[in-house]
């Protein structure tokens, strides 16, 4: 999480009332924190604690983690696409090329025999 820096201008922070156990505190205080990262559209919601301060810290950690995962997935996708292109552009080995040409000869021979049978 060291490499990810999130600008506060890019995040819309809102507070809503939590649900679940917590008694009167939950009913009176908006302790649930919702963060919206506007450039990516990622929404993070945290209501683990009865304290708004702790929920806010945890929500920011979750947002950084979500952004890190998104970057990691994009990097893996780009890497797999480049690997796929590299494999496609690779030349065939001599054995594979001979095998492919042998298959083509067999198919051509079959087609030739079909044409002869129709002519007779």
């Amino acid at each position: 999480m060291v490499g990810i820096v999130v600008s506060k201008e890019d995040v819309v922070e809102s507070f809503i009332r939590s649900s679940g156990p917590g008694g009167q505190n939950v009913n009176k205080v908006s302790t649930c924190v919702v963060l919206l990262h506007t450039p990516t559209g990622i929404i993070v919601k945290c209501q683990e604690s009865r304290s708004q301060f702790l929920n806010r810290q945890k929500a920011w950690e979750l947002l950084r983690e979500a952004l890190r995962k998104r970057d990691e997935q994009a990097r893996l996708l780009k890497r797999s696409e480049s690997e796929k292109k590299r494999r496609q552009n690779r030349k065939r080995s001599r054995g594979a090329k001979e095998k492919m040409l042998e298959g083509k000869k067999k198919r051509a021979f079959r087609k030739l025999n079909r044409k002869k049978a129709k002519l007779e």
Side-chain angles (χ1 to χ4, degrees):
M1 282 194 253
V2 175
I4 305 249
V5 177
V6 182
S7 174
K8 291 194 180 205
E9 291 82 32
D10 293 340
V11 178
V12 176
E13 191 173 40
S14 58
F15 305 98
I16 57 174
R17 289 196 180 137
S18 296
S19 61
Q24 189 175 10
N25 183 56
V26 169
N27 297 330
K28 287 173 63 177
V29 183
S30 299
T31 56
C32 180
V33 179
V34 179
L35 301 178
L36 167 65
H37 190 248
T38 51
T40 58
I42 294 176
I43 298 174
V44 175
K45 182 177 178 181
C46 183
Q47 61 179 9
E48 292 178 4
S49 173
R50 289 172 56 181
S51 166
Q52 187 185 72
F53 177 75
L54 294 176
N55 283 336
R56 190 172 182 216
Q57 285 182 333
K58 182 69 174 173
W60 279 96
E61 289 175 15
L62 292 173
L63 180 63
R64 283 189 208 97
E65 183 66 24
L67 289 171
R68 189 193 60 75
K69 281 184 182 179
R70 184 175 178 272
D71 290 346
E72 182 74 22
Q73 287 176 345
R75 198 173 89 251
L76 287 176
L77 180 65
K78 189 175 181 180
R79 180 189 234 178
S80 67
E81 286 174 358
S82 67
E83 286 289 321
K84 184 178 179 182
K85 282 191 182 264
R86 188 181 60 80
R87 283 193 309 270
Q88 287 175 344
N89 293 334
R90 187 172 54 199
K91 289 187 177 182
R92 293 180 190 258
S93 67
R94 181 176 291 185
K97 190 172 182 180
E98 288 175 1
K99 189 174 180 181
M100 183 256 316
L101 290 174
E102 187 65 33
K104 283 187 172 187
K105 286 178 187 176
K106 284 182 183 179
R107 284 190 295 279
F109 184 71
R110 280 191 214 131
K111 287 181 180 182
L112 186 65
N113 287 336
R114 280 196 297 256
K115 289 179 184 177
K116 286 182 183 176
K118 287 182 182 179
L119 292 176
E120 294 176 358

